[in-house]
Amino acid sequence: MSIANTPTSNDACLSIVHSLMCHRQGGESETFAKRAIESLVKKLKEKKDELDSLITAITTNGAHPSKCVTIQRTLDGRLQVAGRKGFPHVIYARLWRWPDLHKNELKHVKYCQYAFDLKCDSVCVNPYHYERVVSPGIDLSGLTLQSSAPSSMLVKDEYVHDYVEGPQSLSSADALSIQTIQHQASNRSSSDTYSNSSLLTSEPSTPSASSFSSIPVASTRPVHNELAFQPPISNHPAPEYWCSIAYFEMDVQVGETFKVPSNCPIVTVDGYVDPSGGDRFCLGQLSNVHRTEAIERARLHIGKGVQLECKGEGDVWVRCLSDHAVFVQSYYLDREAGRAPGDAVHKIYPSAYIKVFDLRQCHRQMHQQAATAQAAAAAQAAAVAGNIPGPGSVGGIAPAISLSAAAGIGVDDLRRLCILRMSFVKGWGPDYPRQSIKETPCWIEINLHRALQLLDEVLHTMPIADPQPLD
């Protein structure tokens, strides 16, 4: 469309939308793009100067200077379009400039007064008020961070084969909304002595268990001697089975629990229909009379599934053999990424090989949590009885309340340290329509027997009672 035929804010919404649609980059479906543009044009109809700025910016590809184009900031900062939520400046930057853009690659230009990062009541969505940047010195070749803006890959096209994305950078504001940590295949050969599978974290200045504020980056730590010269944690003989795997569809277990013998350190869990046994658990041959069409469809995409490998005394690594990513709940990866346990979902891409469980770390956590629970329960009992002297002990009530959380640690909390959960094809959490793994169509729970054995020893040496409510 020539400049002469470019609409103005006085034209009908339909004409403006049609003109702006001609400049979209094609990363989104036509339906989504049209809904997003219609929504924006309607919001700007009462702000004619901003609408004209948008039209100028888009139709000239940013060749002419343009003012901020603002919409009201929502409570969570995200905009809902066609049933999908995303950060508004990212949505429109993808539509008109960079279809493969990731939120953590955007930086506003200096003259933008209402940039998303400035936390104003209004947000500028002018795509030409943002630049796409990659910060030097941050190696994210083995890790990317998925923003909470659900792209079509997250919600609409979850069955599209996953792909490896390029390195990305993080701004300080972006780090606050990270919710799904992505782990990709390393470019190094399997014979390499270094791995990108482990993560380091830059600690936030004000850590919080409920915030997503750490900035993980990939590290290159030698792993070839990781297990060498380490004495066993316990002299107790290893269990007969190193793990047991239960398969679930939504919140219902399907089939019998599959036990993996200790003489089979590598087990494959796939979607095929061959008989299960030894080192292979085939989910395709399991029947469920309550299986829905959506579950059936998801099961078709499990394919080659995953390989679980037990190393040393009980560390566990996962290799994704499927054409689709798998999603893992792993306290080890949470800790490596600087998160509170259970605070993140880890997306493991096809061909990625990553450590998901560390036995020694788990054993340390068992001891720490059991000791904390024991001490807190004793202190709480004394506080309730009014036996704790010193500042803050207002009749024993205040200390009792402050200790209640620590005293609430029970055996089930410690057992969770010994369990991995993994969903095939479909993710869950803030980036997805499913908030819990029990809402995903097909997933597995892996109980790690050596860790459970060690937990039993810990509980024998420092027993903890089930949490009791305060009177």
Side-chain angles (χ1 to χ4, degrees), residues 327-402:
F327 299 81
V328 178
Q329 186 180 69
S330 160
Y331 286 2
Y332 168 75
L333 288 177
D334 291 344
R335 188 181 179 92
E336 292 295 295
R339 304 295 186 87
D343 198 37
V345 178
H346 301 268
K347 183 175 183 179
I348 300 180
Y349 276 82
S351 302
Y353 179 57
I354 186 167
K355 186 176 183 179
V356 293
F357 181 80
D358 185 286
L359 187 67
R360 289 179 183 276
Q361 184 194 85
C362 176
H363 190 239
R364 286 194 298 271
Q365 285 180 283
M366 286 176 197
H367 269 288
Q368 289 167 1
Q369 290 193 22
T372 300
Q374 244 191 352
Q380 186 186 65
V384 170
N387 294 333
I388 294 185
S393 57
V394 186
I397 300 300
I401 294 172
S402 65

Side-chain angles (χ1 to χ4, degrees), residues 171-202:
S171 73
S172 58
D174 292 329
L176 298 176
S177 59
I178 295 164
Q179 290 163 341
T180 301
I181 301 179
Q182 302 187 4
H183 306 269
Q184 297 173 353
S186 170
N187 292 328
R188 297 183 175 91
S189 67
S190 58
S191 61
D192 208 329
T193 56
Y194 291 86
S195 167
N196 276 345
S197 299
S198 299
L199 311 175
L200 297 178
T201 177
S202 170

Side-chain angles (χ1 to χ4, degrees), residues 250-294:
M250 307 294 277
D251 58 353
V252 177
Q253 182 174 348
V254 177
E256 299 293 324
T257 299
F258 182 81
K259 294 183 177 181
V260 185
S262 291
N263 61 2
C264 291
I266 299 177
V267 60
T268 301
V269 183
D270 60 43
Y272 299 126
V273 296
D274 299 331
S276 297
D279 61 355
R280 189 176 175 200
F281 185 19
C282 296
L283 306 179
Q285 45 94 26
L286 298 176
S287 60
N288 176 11
V289 293
H290 301 295
R291 183 172 293 152
T292 64
E293 185 181 340

Side-chain angles (χ1 to χ4, degrees), residues 46-356:
E46 300 302 316
K47 299 188 284 186
K48 292 185 179 296
D49 57 335
E50 293 188 21
L51 182 52
D52 282 325
S53 286
L54 175 70
I55 294 169
T56 299
I58 302 306
T59 57
T60 65
N61 295 323
H64 294 179
S66 54
K67 297 191 296 184
C68 284
V69 177
T70 63
I71 61 174
Q72 188 71 26
R73 181 187 290 272
T74 59
L75 287 175
D76 66 354
R78 297 189 293 173
L79 177 70
Q80 182 157 324
V81 177
R84 288 164 44 192
K85 274 196 168 186
F87 291 94
H89 63 311
V90 178
I91 290 175
Y92 294 109
R94 280 180 184 151
L95 278 181
W96 285 310
R97 296 195 71 182
W98 307 287
D100 59 343
L101 174 74
H102 288 270
K103 172 183 171 290
N104 48 316
E105 294 176 322
L106 278 186
K107 178 183 178 183
H108 65 271
V109 295
K110 290 182 180 178
Y111 53 82
C112 183
Q113 297 178 306
Y114 297 95
F116 182 83
D117 292 349
L118 299 180
K119 307 295 184 188
C120 302
D121 289 339
S122 296
V123 179
C124 178
V125 294
N126 185 337
Y128 292 93
H129 277 203
Y130 294 88
E131 297 171 342
R132 189 175 188 178
V133 294
V134 176
S135 299
I138 299 180
D139 174 17
L140 289 177
S141 58
L143 168 75
T144 60
L145 302 174
Q146 177 64 48
S147 80
S148 57
S151 71
S152 58
M153 287 222 31
L154 292 180
V155 178
K156 296 197 75 172
D157 301 317
E158 285 183 291
Y159 292 124
V160 175
H161 289 195
D162 285 296
Y163 57 92
V164 176
E165 300 154 313
Q168 302 170 35
S169 66
L170 293 169
S171 73
S172 58
D174 292 329
L176 298 176
S177 59
I178 295 164
Q179 290 163 341
T180 301
I181 301 179
Q182 302 187 4
H183 306 269
Q184 297 173 353
S186 170
N187 292 328
R188 297 183 175 91
S189 67
S190 58
S191 61
D192 208 329
T193 56
Y194 291 86
S195 167
N196 276 345
S197 299
S198 299
L199 311 175
L200 297 178
T201 177
S202 170
E203 291 294 337
S205 56
T206 54
S208 165
S210 60
S211 67
F212 300 88
S213 52
S214 59
I215 308 176
V217 298
S219 77
T220 52
R221 181 167 58 88
V223 296
H224 55 297
N225 286 327
E226 187 178 284
L227 302 174
F229 313 119
Q230 289 189 340
I233 298 172
S234 168
N235 292 323
H236 198 285
E240 182 182 358
Y241 301 96
W242 72 265
C243 78
S244 55
I245 306 169
Y247 169 65
F248 292 83
E249 293 177 0
M250 307 294 277
D251 58 353
V252 177
Q253 182 174 348
V254 177
E256 299 293 324
T257 299
F258 182 81
K259 294 183 177 181
V260 185
S262 291
N263 61 2
C264 291
I266 299 177
V267 60
T268 301
V269 183
D270 60 43
Y272 299 126
V273 296
D274 299 331
S276 297
D279 61 355
R280 189 176 175 200
F281 185 19
C282 296
L283 306 179
Q285 45 94 26
L286 298 176
S287 60
N288 176 11
V289 293
H290 301 295
R291 183 172 293 152
T292 64
E293 185 181 340
I295 293 173
E296 194 65 69
R297 196 162 58 247
R299 280 167 52 84
L300 293 174
H301 294 275
I302 296 174
K304 295 179 182 178
V306 295
Q307 208 172 58
L308 306 171
E309 181 176 359
C310 181
K311 289 188 175 185
E313 193 176 351
D315 294 354
V316 179
W317 292 65
V318 167
R319 188 187 304 277
C320 181
L321 304 176
S322 174
D323 289 331
H324 298 271
V326 294
F327 299 81
V328 178
Q329 186 180 69
S330 160
Y331 286 2
Y332 168 75
L333 288 177
D334 291 344
R335 188 181 179 92
E336 292 295 295
R339 304 295 186 87
D343 198 37
V345 178
H346 301 268
K347 183 175 183 179
I348 300 180
Y349 276 82
S351 302
Y353 179 57
I354 186 167
K355 186 176 183 179
V356 293

